[in-house]
Amino acid sequence: LNLMTRKVVDNSVEDIQPHEDHWLGQWACSLSVILFLIAFGLSGQMVPRCTAEQGMCTPGECTCPFPLMKRDLVTQDAQACSQCVEEFCPAVVEGDPACSTAACDCEDPSWPRIDVGTPEKPCMQCVHPHVDVTLRREGDNDCLDFGENRTCTVFRYNGAAMLDKTSNRSSCLTWSNGDWQLTQCQGTPDSSAKFTQRSNKEEALTKGTFCT
C-alpha cells in the first residue's frame, strides 16, 4: 500500500518576516529623530545668539530669538558685530511726529534718537542726520550757485528736502520752469522738492547722488 505523504511546509520564516520589517522601520524612524535632534542642538551651538546687553555687540555671525530684532553694528576696530533689540524706533525726517512709546533703538546707530514725548510718557524717534553738500549740474558739471556772490551754494539735506544752509533754513531747492530754483519751504515739501539719497556709489554714478 503506497501512502501519499503530505509535505509539511515550514511557514515560520514567512510569518516572522513581516514583524522584522515593522521593527526595522520603527528603528530607522527613531534613529532619524535622534539624528535630527542632535543636528538641531549642534546648530544652536555653531551659530551663537547675539547679545542683548546695552553698549555691547557680538562679533561675527549670530542670531536673535523671536521676537527680538537683529541690529547690525561696528566695533571701534571696524569689526562687524550684531546686537538683539526689542524693536526699532521710527526713522523720520526732522519735524515728523511719528514716534514709539516702547523701548526701541535706532536701526542705524549714526541717527540720533530723540524723545519727542513728555516726561510722563516718553516717545522715541530716530531723526535723519543732516548732510551738508554742494551740487553740480549734470552735463556741464557746473556748481549750483544762488545769491549775489555766485559761489557754490551749500545745501543741507535732512532726509527729504534740500535746504539752503546760508538762508537760515528758509529756502528749499525745487525744480521750476525747467531749472533749479530756491523757493520758500513749505511745512511739508511737495513731491517736486523731495529727494532721496542713493545707497551706493554705482547707483550714484548712473542716476545721480540725489534725485527727485
Side-chain angles (χ1 to χ4, degrees):
L1 179 61
N2 294 328
L3 298 176
M4 297 293 293
T5 58
R6 188 173 182 181
K7 186 177 180 182
V8 178
V9 179
D10 186 2
N11 293 325
S12 60
V13 176
E14 298 179 4
D15 294 339
I16 295 174
Q17 189 66 33
H19 296 289
E20 291 180 347
D21 291 344
H22 179 69
W23 182 83
L24 288 172
Q26 287 184 332
W27 183 84
C29 182
S30 300
L31 181 61
S32 299
V33 172
I34 293 173
L35 291 175
F36 172 79
L37 293 175
I38 293 174
F40 183 80
L42 290 175
S43 65
Q45 296 177 3
M46 294 172 60
V47 182
R49 289 188 176 182
C50 308
T51 181
E53 295 184 27
Q54 287 291 331
M56 304 290 290
C57 64
T58 303
E61 289 294 328
C62 61
T63 60
C64 291
F66 182 83
L68 297 181
M69 307 181 73
K70 187 176 179 181
R71 184 189 189 202
D72 294 326
L73 301 169
V74 178
T75 62
Q76 293 182 349
D77 55 354
Q79 183 180 6
C81 62
S82 302
Q83 177 190 58
C84 295
V85 298
E86 294 186 18
E87 68 174 69
F88 293 127
C89 307
V92 301
V93 297
E94 188 175 11
D96 192 318
C99 62
S100 174
T101 56
C104 62
D105 292 275
C106 296
E107 184 173 7
D108 188 332
S110 67
W111 290 35
R113 188 177 63 167
I114 298 176
D115 183 2
V116 294
T118 63
E120 296 77 19
K121 190 177 181 180
C123 196
M124 310 303 293
Q125 62 177 206
C126 297
V127 180
H128 192 292
H130 295 156
V131 180
D132 294 340
V133 296
T134 57
L135 303 176
R136 296 187 179 276
R137 301 175 188 273
E138 192 174 277
D140 56 21
N141 205 34
D142 288 339
C143 184
L144 280 180
D145 50 21
F146 297 94
E148 298 179 357
N149 53 11
R150 310 306 294 178
T151 59
C152 285
T153 302
V154 179
F155 296 95
R156 170 160 287 178
Y157 175 62
N158 67 357
M162 290 281 191
L163 307 104
D164 181 7
K165 184 181 177 182
T166 61
S167 62
N168 198 23
R169 301 171 59 86
S170 63
S171 300
C172 281
L173 182 65
T174 58
W175 180 261
S176 179
N177 298 324
D179 200 1
W180 291 108
Q181 297 181 19
L182 286 176
T183 59
Q184 190 71 23
C185 295
Q186 305 298 320
T188 302
D190 59 22
S191 59
S192 65
K194 288 185 177 179
F195 294 80
T196 301
Q197 191 171 7
R198 299 298 181 183
S199 59
N200 57 67
K201 184 178 180 180
E202 290 71 20
E203 193 177 31
L205 290 175
T206 57
K207 300 180 180 180
T209 305
F210 297 91
C211 67
T212 56

